[in-house]
Amino acid sequence: MKAAILGKAEGKPGQVWHPVTVEEVEVPQVKEGEVLVKLHAAALNHREVFVRQSLYPGIQHGAILGADGAGVVVSPPSHPLHNKPVLLSPEVGWVSSHFGPDQKEEFGILGGTRQTGGRGTFAEYIAVKEQDLVECPSHLLEEKNGWELAAALPLAALTAYRATFTKAEVEKGQNVLITGIGGGVAIQALQFCVAKGANVFVTSSKQDKLDRAKEMGARGGVNYKEEDWPKKLAALLPKDRPTLDAVIDSAGGNVTTQLLRVLKHGARVAVYGQTTGKPHTLGMGEILKNIELRGSTMGSLEEFKNAIRFTGENKIVPTVHQTYSSLDKTDEAITALKDGTQFGKIVISISSSATSSRL
């Protein structure tokens, strides 16, 4: 089979750029308790950029890249999901604990790392444990580009679900701020919050991204490059509920200090990233308002299944920014992701079946 393999280059973390080559490798052998999935499409996440920069733990050169994938079970024929469209859980080793990985086995994420045995979704086939599959929501495959939409869902949906519901505890009618709209997780969080009935506000440095978010249901947005953006955000909040109940943040830095005047007492700040490269601050002002800063990363298998169920029940359709036609375009796709101009997910079509909306 074809697979996108992570190569090795010399250099310091953050400065190196490991090569990616598409090679012919053996189709995985299925062990007891596993199934073989023929992948129709895979999606990129920013972790592929971090892996190529040596900024991700457990990097394994010679491993297959990719954490997001959608396809069909081809073996064993006796499996209940045989020949059915499935999504792969991107995590391994975290079954159900609310607090973090269960510690029964080493936690890992598919794609380019030793924790998941070098397995990844940028390949024509992948072997996974039976428990790590969920049936793809049927409404996605009714779309023209159904396989690409399906592949765009897993990691973003899992990360956004945990940040939105487990950590930020978003409920109907609450005011929620999502920072850095445009990335896959932020957009998924926006869709989850809108489906829940929350009032969503967003930040971005690009007006077109703010406009797109409002088309998707956001109540308003502000440019975080503007010095008075917290004041402009405050002006957008409903008069009868003039504070934020929750923030879903990927930026880091002093965001809670900047938002202090509009944060409700006891507001939850769910943090799933630090794109600014600066640690979050928590000053005395936040302490006096009982602000809760809650780290959130990926999620459990249980949360993954809940995220896909919620997506299906609410007919949520992921946003795909661009689709690349084959695995041979992997290097080009990751380079495009690194530029950071996308709104939504970047996807790679793997098999010819991926051009069809149905099996």
Side-chain angles (χ1 to χ4, degrees):
M1 70 174 186
K2 280 187 174 183
I5 306 297
L6 179 67
K8 186 175 183 179
E10 298 300 324
K12 295 181 179 179
Q15 298 176 8
V16 69
W17 187 243
H18 296 291
V20 172
T21 56
V22 177
E23 303 175 14
E24 290 285 340
V25 299
E26 294 292 326
V27 174
Q29 296 296 309
V30 177
K31 302 174 184 177
E32 186 177 352
E34 292 184 340
V35 296
L36 185 67
V37 177
K38 177 178 174 60
L39 291 159
H40 286 326
L44 278 68
N45 296 282
H46 207 80
R47 70 185 297 272
E48 275 82 58
V49 174
F50 293 148
V51 167
R52 293 188 69 175
Q53 293 175 322
S54 282
L55 293 175
Y56 208 86
I59 293 172
Q60 181 177 321
H61 301 109
I64 300 172
L65 289 169
D68 274 333
V72 295
V73 175
V74 294
S75 181
S78 59
H79 194 274
L81 292 176
H82 182 252
N83 275 341
K84 291 187 178 181
V86 293
L87 302 177
L88 314 179
S89 176
E91 62 72 38
V92 172
W94 184 355
V95 178
S96 61
S97 172
H98 174 88
F99 301 103
D102 302 276
Q103 303 300 321
K104 294 179 182 178
E105 59 179 293
E106 188 171 23
F107 172 70
I109 304 170
L110 291 175
T113 58
R114 62 170 176 77
Q115 293 95 332
T116 49
R119 293 174 297 135
T121 58
F122 295 175
E124 293 179 311
Y125 295 91
I126 186 173
V128 299
K129 290 182 178 180
E130 292 179 278
Q131 68 180 26
D132 292 334
L133 293 180
V134 296
E135 195 163 355
C136 181
S138 60
H139 74 281
L140 293 180
L141 296 182
E142 294 171 359
E143 302 286 335
K144 182 178 180 180
N145 59 335
W147 283 114
E148 287 88 350
L149 293 171
L153 190 59
L155 192 145
L158 172 57
T159 305
Y161 187 91
R162 180 169 174 80
T164 301
F165 297 123
T166 305
K167 292 292 187 164
E169 300 180 55
V170 172
E171 296 289 350
K172 181 179 180 179
Q174 293 184 340
N175 294 333
V176 183
L177 175 67
I178 300 173
T179 65
I181 200 67
V185 175
I187 293 173
Q188 201 73 59
L190 165 63
Q191 292 178 300
F192 283 165
C193 289
V194 170
K196 191 70 172 179
N199 304 312
V200 187
F201 303 87
V202 297
T203 70
S204 176
S205 62
K206 305 292 184 183
Q207 185 60 46
D208 62 326
K209 292 186 178 183
L210 297 176
D211 293 339
R212 288 285 301 278
K214 285 187 278 188
E215 291 172 2
M216 296 177 70
R219 294 281 296 271
V222 293
N223 188 329
Y224 65 78
K225 292 286 187 180
E226 297 177 1
E227 190 173 342
D228 62 344
W229 72 266
K231 184 176 180 180
K232 291 182 176 179
L233 173 64
L236 296 175
L237 297 175
K239 295 294 186 290
D240 61 343
R241 198 182 184 103
T243 55
L244 292 171
D245 297 272
V247 179
I248 300 172
D249 181 55
S250 62
N254 63 342
V255 64
T256 54
T257 302
Q258 291 175 298
L259 292 171
L260 188 59
R261 295 185 66 179
V262 293
L263 286 173
K264 178 183 178 181
H265 281 269
R268 292 89 56 198
V269 181
V271 181
Y272 67 91
Q274 291 185 341
T275 57
T276 62
K278 299 177 181 179
H280 283 74
T281 59
L282 192 69
M284 197 62 204
E286 290 93 317
I287 294 171
L288 290 172
K289 291 191 77 171
N290 290 279
I291 305 302
E292 296 188 38
L293 193 63
R294 300 176 175 180
S296 185
T297 180
M298 286 288 290
S300 67
L301 179 61
E302 181 179 298
E303 287 168 315
F304 175 66
K305 292 180 177 180
N306 288 338
I308 303 306
R309 185 182 303 112
F310 187 87
T311 298
E313 290 172 349
N314 292 280
K315 301 294 189 291
I316 294 171
V317 177
T319 299
V320 172
H321 176 77
Q322 186 173 0
T323 298
Y324 286 80
S325 60
S326 71
L327 284 170
D328 294 324
K329 302 286 187 179
T330 300
D331 179 67
E332 184 181 342
I334 297 175
T335 301
L337 179 66
K338 184 183 179 184
D339 293 339
T341 58
Q342 75 279 359
F343 187 93
K345 298 280 282 190
I346 293 176
V347 178
I348 298 173
S349 177
I350 296 176
S351 76
S352 57
S353 298
T355 60
S356 173
S357 62
R358 296 180 182 271
L359 287 175

PDB file of all heavy atoms in Angstrom, residues 40-43 70 141 144-153 318 320 323-324 345 347-350 354-356:
ATOM      1  N   HIS A  40     -10.541   6.038   2.859  1.00  0.00           N
ATOM      2  CA  HIS A  40     -10.959   6.784   1.672  1.00  0.00           C
ATOM      3  C   HIS A  40     -10.480   8.237   1.718  1.00  0.00           C
ATOM      4  O   HIS A  40     -10.275   8.854   0.675  1.00  0.00           O
ATOM      5  CB  HIS A  40     -12.478   6.761   1.532  1.00  0.00           C
ATOM      6  CG  HIS A  40     -13.012   5.433   1.077  1.00  0.00           C
ATOM      7  ND1 HIS A  40     -12.328   4.623   0.204  1.00  0.00           N
ATOM      8  CD2 HIS A  40     -14.167   4.784   1.368  1.00  0.00           C
ATOM      9  CE1 HIS A  40     -13.029   3.536  -0.028  1.00  0.00           C
ATOM     10  NE2 HIS A  40     -14.147   3.597   0.674  1.00  0.00           N
ATOM     11  N   ALA A  41     -10.328   8.771   2.921  1.00  0.00           N
ATOM     12  CA  ALA A  41      -9.860  10.159   3.054  1.00  0.00           C
ATOM     13  C   ALA A  41      -9.237  10.344   4.432  1.00  0.00           C
ATOM     14  O   ALA A  41      -9.561   9.622   5.383  1.00  0.00           O
ATOM     15  CB  ALA A  41     -11.015  11.139   2.857  1.00  0.00           C
ATOM     16  N   ALA A  42      -8.334  11.290   4.520  1.00  0.00           N
ATOM     17  CA  ALA A  42      -7.681  11.637   5.788  1.00  0.00           C
ATOM     18  C   ALA A  42      -7.598  13.154   5.879  1.00  0.00           C
ATOM     19  O   ALA A  42      -7.572  13.848   4.848  1.00  0.00           O
ATOM     20  CB  ALA A  42      -6.285  11.024   5.863  1.00  0.00           C
ATOM     21  N   ALA A  43      -7.550  13.675   7.095  1.00  0.00           N
ATOM     22  CA  ALA A  43      -7.487  15.124   7.287  1.00  0.00           C
ATOM     23  C   ALA A  43      -6.257  15.509   8.092  1.00  0.00           C
ATOM     24  O   ALA A  43      -5.733  14.711   8.876  1.00  0.00           O
ATOM     25  CB  ALA A  43      -8.752  15.623   7.988  1.00  0.00           C
ATOM     26  N   ALA A  70     -11.248   8.340   7.573  1.00  0.00           N
ATOM     27  CA  ALA A  70     -12.565   7.739   7.379  1.00  0.00           C
ATOM     28  C   ALA A  70     -12.457   6.695   6.280  1.00  0.00           C
ATOM     29  O   ALA A  70     -11.746   6.886   5.293  1.00  0.00           O
ATOM     30  CB  ALA A  70     -13.592   8.799   7.002  1.00  0.00           C
ATOM     31  N   LEU A 141     -22.335  11.351   4.527  1.00  0.00           N
ATOM     32  CA  LEU A 141     -22.141  10.649   3.269  1.00  0.00           C
ATOM     33  C   LEU A 141     -23.232  10.933   2.252  1.00  0.00           C
ATOM     34  O   LEU A 141     -23.157  10.495   1.102  1.00  0.00           O
ATOM     35  CB  LEU A 141     -22.021   9.144   3.512  1.00  0.00           C
ATOM     36  CG  LEU A 141     -20.793   8.742   4.349  1.00  0.00           C
ATOM     37  CD1 LEU A 141     -20.718   7.242   4.491  1.00  0.00           C
ATOM     38  CD2 LEU A 141     -19.512   9.275   3.731  1.00  0.00           C
ATOM     39  N   LYS A 144     -22.011  15.609  -1.358  1.00  0.00           N
ATOM     40  CA  LYS A 144     -21.215  15.287  -2.540  1.00  0.00           C
ATOM     41  C   LYS A 144     -19.805  14.867  -2.173  1.00  0.00           C
ATOM     42  O   LYS A 144     -19.248  13.925  -2.740  1.00  0.00           O
ATOM     43  CB  LYS A 144     -21.191  16.489  -3.473  1.00  0.00           C
ATOM     44  CG  LYS A 144     -20.430  16.244  -4.766  1.00  0.00           C
ATOM     45  CD  LYS A 144     -20.482  17.466  -5.668  1.00  0.00           C
ATOM     46  CE  LYS A 144     -19.715  17.211  -6.955  1.00  0.00           C
ATOM     47  NZ  LYS A 144     -19.747  18.386  -7.861  1.00  0.00           N
ATOM     48  N   ASN A 145     -19.190  15.585  -1.242  1.00  0.00           N
ATOM     49  CA  ASN A 145     -17.827  15.273  -0.787  1.00  0.00           C
ATOM     50  C   ASN A 145     -17.855  14.595   0.570  1.00  0.00           C
ATOM     51  O   ASN A 145     -17.109  14.933   1.492  1.00  0.00           O
ATOM     52  CB  ASN A 145     -16.975  16.539  -0.737  1.00  0.00           C
ATOM     53  CG  ASN A 145     -17.550  17.608   0.200  1.00  0.00           C
ATOM     54  OD1 ASN A 145     -18.754  17.636   0.449  1.00  0.00           O
ATOM     55  ND2 ASN A 145     -16.697  18.491   0.691  1.00  0.00           N
ATOM     56  N   GLY A 146     -18.728  13.596   0.696  1.00  0.00           N
ATOM     57  CA  GLY A 146     -18.994  12.986   1.992  1.00  0.00           C
ATOM     58  C   GLY A 146     -17.792  12.400   2.691  1.00  0.00           C
ATOM     59  O   GLY A 146     -17.617  12.575   3.905  1.00  0.00           O
ATOM     60  N   TRP A 147     -16.916  11.692   1.967  1.00  0.00           N
ATOM     61  CA  TRP A 147     -15.757  11.089   2.621  1.00  0.00           C
ATOM     62  C   TRP A 147     -14.802  12.139   3.152  1.00  0.00           C
ATOM     63  O   TRP A 147     -14.219  11.974   4.234  1.00  0.00           O
ATOM     64  CB  TRP A 147     -15.031  10.150   1.663  1.00  0.00           C
ATOM     65  CG  TRP A 147     -15.707   8.831   1.483  1.00  0.00           C
ATOM     66  CD1 TRP A 147     -16.275   8.348   0.340  1.00  0.00           C
ATOM     67  CD2 TRP A 147     -15.919   7.845   2.492  1.00  0.00           C
ATOM     68  NE1 TRP A 147     -16.824   7.111   0.575  1.00  0.00           N
ATOM     69  CE2 TRP A 147     -16.618   6.774   1.888  1.00  0.00           C
ATOM     70  CE3 TRP A 147     -15.590   7.759   3.845  1.00  0.00           C
ATOM     71  CZ2 TRP A 147     -16.985   5.634   2.584  1.00  0.00           C
ATOM     72  CZ3 TRP A 147     -15.958   6.610   4.548  1.00  0.00           C
ATOM     73  CH2 TRP A 147     -16.641   5.570   3.919  1.00  0.00           C
ATOM     74  N   GLU A 148     -14.626  13.225   2.419  1.00  0.00           N
ATOM     75  CA  GLU A 148     -13.746  14.293   2.891  1.00  0.00           C
ATOM     76  C   GLU A 148     -14.309  14.949   4.147  1.00  0.00           C
ATOM     77  O   GLU A 148     -13.579  15.247   5.097  1.00  0.00           O
ATOM     78  CB  GLU A 148     -13.549  15.345   1.791  1.00  0.00           C
ATOM     79  CG  GLU A 148     -12.668  14.888   0.643  1.00  0.00           C
ATOM     80  CD  GLU A 148     -13.463  14.173  -0.444  1.00  0.00           C
ATOM     81  OE1 GLU A 148     -14.658  13.876  -0.218  1.00  0.00           O
ATOM     82  OE2 GLU A 148     -12.882  13.906  -1.512  1.00  0.00           O
ATOM     83  N   LEU A 149     -15.629  15.155   4.168  1.00  0.00           N
ATOM     84  CA  LEU A 149     -16.271  15.723   5.352  1.00  0.00           C
ATOM     85  C   LEU A 149     -16.137  14.788   6.544  1.00  0.00           C
ATOM     86  O   LEU A 149     -15.868  15.231   7.669  1.00  0.00           O
ATOM     87  CB  LEU A 149     -17.755  15.984   5.056  1.00  0.00           C
ATOM     88  CG  LEU A 149     -18.054  17.072   4.032  1.00  0.00           C
ATOM     89  CD1 LEU A 149     -19.536  17.075   3.686  1.00  0.00           C
ATOM     90  CD2 LEU A 149     -17.629  18.441   4.554  1.00  0.00           C
ATOM     91  N   ALA A 150     -16.307  13.499   6.296  1.00  0.00           N
ATOM     92  CA  ALA A 150     -16.189  12.516   7.375  1.00  0.00           C
ATOM     93  C   ALA A 150     -14.779  12.510   7.958  1.00  0.00           C
ATOM     94  O   ALA A 150     -14.597  12.487   9.179  1.00  0.00           O
ATOM     95  CB  ALA A 150     -16.566  11.132   6.857  1.00  0.00           C
ATOM     96  N   ALA A 151     -13.781  12.537   7.083  1.00  0.00           N
ATOM     97  CA  ALA A 151     -12.393  12.507   7.550  1.00  0.00           C
ATOM     98  C   ALA A 151     -12.034  13.757   8.340  1.00  0.00           C
ATOM     99  O   ALA A 151     -11.157  13.725   9.205  1.00  0.00           O
ATOM    100  CB  ALA A 151     -11.451  12.360   6.363  1.00  0.00           C
ATOM    101  N   ALA A 152     -12.717  14.863   8.064  1.00  0.00           N
ATOM    102  CA  ALA A 152     -12.422  16.128   8.750  1.00  0.00           C
ATOM    103  C   ALA A 152     -12.922  16.149  10.187  1.00  0.00           C
ATOM    104  O   ALA A 152     -12.570  17.043  10.961  1.00  0.00           O
ATOM    105  CB  ALA A 152     -13.046  17.290   7.975  1.00  0.00           C
ATOM    106  N   LEU A 153     -13.712  15.161  10.557  1.00  0.00           N
ATOM    107  CA  LEU A 153     -14.416  15.224  11.839  1.00  0.00           C
ATOM    108  C   LEU A 153     -13.645  14.756  13.073  1.00  0.00           C
ATOM    109  O   LEU A 153     -13.648  15.457  14.095  1.00  0.00           O
ATOM    110  CB  LEU A 153     -15.716  14.423  11.712  1.00  0.00           C
ATOM    111  CG  LEU A 153     -16.727  14.535  12.845  1.00  0.00           C
ATOM    112  CD1 LEU A 153     -17.171  15.968  13.051  1.00  0.00           C
ATOM    113  CD2 LEU A 153     -17.937  13.642  12.543  1.00  0.00           C
ATOM    114  N   PRO A 318     -18.843  19.327   9.057  1.00  0.00           N
ATOM    115  CA  PRO A 318     -17.544  19.990   9.213  1.00  0.00           C
ATOM    116  C   PRO A 318     -17.243  20.911   8.032  1.00  0.00           C
ATOM    117  O   PRO A 318     -17.786  20.749   6.933  1.00  0.00           O
ATOM    118  CB  PRO A 318     -16.546  18.826   9.256  1.00  0.00           C
ATOM    119  CG  PRO A 318     -17.368  17.627   9.607  1.00  0.00           C
ATOM    120  CD  PRO A 318     -18.711  17.862   9.023  1.00  0.00           C
ATOM    121  N   VAL A 320     -14.609  22.092   5.334  1.00  0.00           N
ATOM    122  CA  VAL A 320     -13.386  21.703   4.630  1.00  0.00           C
ATOM    123  C   VAL A 320     -12.887  22.897   3.820  1.00  0.00           C
ATOM    124  O   VAL A 320     -13.622  23.431   2.983  1.00  0.00           O
ATOM    125  CB  VAL A 320     -13.631  20.493   3.714  1.00  0.00           C
ATOM    126  CG1 VAL A 320     -12.406  20.221   2.846  1.00  0.00           C
ATOM    127  CG2 VAL A 320     -13.961  19.259   4.553  1.00  0.00           C
ATOM    128  N   THR A 323      -9.231  20.296  -0.438  1.00  0.00           N
ATOM    129  CA  THR A 323      -8.961  18.863  -0.561  1.00  0.00           C
ATOM    130  C   THR A 323      -7.849  18.630  -1.573  1.00  0.00           C
ATOM    131  O   THR A 323      -7.890  19.176  -2.685  1.00  0.00           O
ATOM    132  CB  THR A 323     -10.218  18.101  -1.012  1.00  0.00           C
ATOM    133  OG1 THR A 323     -11.249  18.253  -0.027  1.00  0.00           O
ATOM    134  CG2 THR A 323      -9.914  16.621  -1.182  1.00  0.00           C
ATOM    135  N   TYR A 324      -6.858  17.828  -1.175  1.00  0.00           N
ATOM    136  CA  TYR A 324      -5.778  17.434  -2.078  1.00  0.00           C
ATOM    137  C   TYR A 324      -6.096  16.064  -2.650  1.00  0.00           C
ATOM    138  O   TYR A 324      -6.670  15.210  -1.971  1.00  0.00           O
ATOM    139  CB  TYR A 324      -4.444  17.442  -1.338  1.00  0.00           C
ATOM    140  CG  TYR A 324      -3.937  18.843  -1.081  1.00  0.00           C
ATOM    141  CD1 TYR A 324      -4.436  19.600  -0.020  1.00  0.00           C
ATOM    142  CD2 TYR A 324      -3.005  19.436  -1.916  1.00  0.00           C
ATOM    143  CE1 TYR A 324      -3.998  20.901   0.214  1.00  0.00           C
ATOM    144  CE2 TYR A 324      -2.552  20.737  -1.701  1.00  0.00           C
ATOM    145  CZ  TYR A 324      -3.056  21.458  -0.642  1.00  0.00           C
ATOM    146  OH  TYR A 324      -2.626  22.754  -0.427  1.00  0.00           O
ATOM    147  N   LYS A 345     -10.810  22.603   7.642  1.00  0.00           N
ATOM    148  CA  LYS A 345      -9.834  21.523   7.566  1.00  0.00           C
ATOM    149  C   LYS A 345      -9.259  21.358   6.159  1.00  0.00           C
ATOM    150  O   LYS A 345      -9.917  21.620   5.151  1.00  0.00           O
ATOM    151  CB  LYS A 345     -10.505  20.206   7.971  1.00  0.00           C
ATOM    152  CG  LYS A 345     -11.023  20.198   9.398  1.00  0.00           C
ATOM    153  CD  LYS A 345      -9.933  19.942  10.405  1.00  0.00           C
ATOM    154  CE  LYS A 345      -9.592  18.468  10.449  1.00  0.00           C
ATOM    155  NZ  LYS A 345      -8.698  18.131  11.570  1.00  0.00           N
ATOM    156  N   VAL A 347      -7.858  18.417   3.712  1.00  0.00           N
ATOM    157  CA  VAL A 347      -8.140  16.991   3.600  1.00  0.00           C
ATOM    158  C   VAL A 347      -7.381  16.402   2.419  1.00  0.00           C
ATOM    159  O   VAL A 347      -7.130  17.078   1.419  1.00  0.00           O
ATOM    160  CB  VAL A 347      -9.659  16.757   3.421  1.00  0.00           C
ATOM    161  CG1 VAL A 347      -9.976  15.282   3.251  1.00  0.00           C
ATOM    162  CG2 VAL A 347     -10.425  17.320   4.621  1.00  0.00           C
ATOM    163  N   ILE A 348      -7.017  15.127   2.552  1.00  0.00           N
ATOM    164  CA  ILE A 348      -6.380  14.375   1.467  1.00  0.00           C
ATOM    165  C   ILE A 348      -7.317  13.248   1.049  1.00  0.00           C
ATOM    166  O   ILE A 348      -7.752  12.445   1.882  1.00  0.00           O
ATOM    167  CB  ILE A 348      -5.028  13.785   1.903  1.00  0.00           C
ATOM    168  CG1 ILE A 348      -4.052  14.904   2.270  1.00  0.00           C
ATOM    169  CG2 ILE A 348      -4.437  12.919   0.794  1.00  0.00           C
ATOM    170  CD1 ILE A 348      -2.757  14.399   2.875  1.00  0.00           C
ATOM    171  N   SER A 349      -7.648  13.208  -0.226  1.00  0.00           N
ATOM    172  CA  SER A 349      -8.420  12.096  -0.778  1.00  0.00           C
ATOM    173  C   SER A 349      -7.465  10.931  -1.036  1.00  0.00           C
ATOM    174  O   SER A 349      -6.407  11.112  -1.650  1.00  0.00           O
ATOM    175  CB  SER A 349      -9.093  12.527  -2.077  1.00  0.00           C
ATOM    176  OG  SER A 349      -9.783  11.452  -2.654  1.00  0.00           O
ATOM    177  N   ILE A 350      -7.818   9.740  -0.559  1.00  0.00           N
ATOM    178  CA  ILE A 350      -6.887   8.609  -0.651  1.00  0.00           C
ATOM    179  C   ILE A 350      -7.276   7.613  -1.726  1.00  0.00           C
ATOM    180  O   ILE A 350      -6.465   7.225  -2.542  1.00  0.00           O
ATOM    181  CB  ILE A 350      -6.776   7.904   0.717  1.00  0.00           C
ATOM    182  CG1 ILE A 350      -6.159   8.867   1.745  1.00  0.00           C
ATOM    183  CG2 ILE A 350      -5.935   6.630   0.602  1.00  0.00           C
ATOM    184  CD1 ILE A 350      -6.090   8.314   3.143  1.00  0.00           C
ATOM    185  N   ALA A 354     -13.324   7.928  -2.721  1.00  0.00           N
ATOM    186  CA  ALA A 354     -13.527   9.141  -1.930  1.00  0.00           C
ATOM    187  C   ALA A 354     -14.179  10.239  -2.743  1.00  0.00           C
ATOM    188  O   ALA A 354     -14.667  11.227  -2.190  1.00  0.00           O
ATOM    189  CB  ALA A 354     -12.204   9.635  -1.366  1.00  0.00           C
ATOM    190  N   THR A 355     -14.220  10.107  -4.072  1.00  0.00           N
ATOM    191  CA  THR A 355     -14.863  11.123  -4.878  1.00  0.00           C
ATOM    192  C   THR A 355     -16.367  10.915  -4.937  1.00  0.00           C
ATOM    193  O   THR A 355     -17.098  11.742  -5.451  1.00  0.00           O
ATOM    194  CB  THR A 355     -14.306  11.108  -6.315  1.00  0.00           C
ATOM    195  OG1 THR A 355     -14.549   9.823  -6.883  1.00  0.00           O
ATOM    196  CG2 THR A 355     -12.818  11.392  -6.318  1.00  0.00           C
ATOM    197  N   SER A 356     -16.821   9.813  -4.386  1.00  0.00           N
ATOM    198  CA  SER A 356     -18.258   9.512  -4.382  1.00  0.00           C
ATOM    199  C   SER A 356     -18.840   9.770  -3.017  1.00  0.00           C
ATOM    200  O   SER A 356     -18.191   9.558  -2.002  1.00  0.00           O
ATOM    201  CB  SER A 356     -18.484   8.046  -4.751  1.00  0.00           C
ATOM    202  OG  SER A 356     -19.846   7.697  -4.596  1.00  0.00           O
TER     203      SER A 356
END
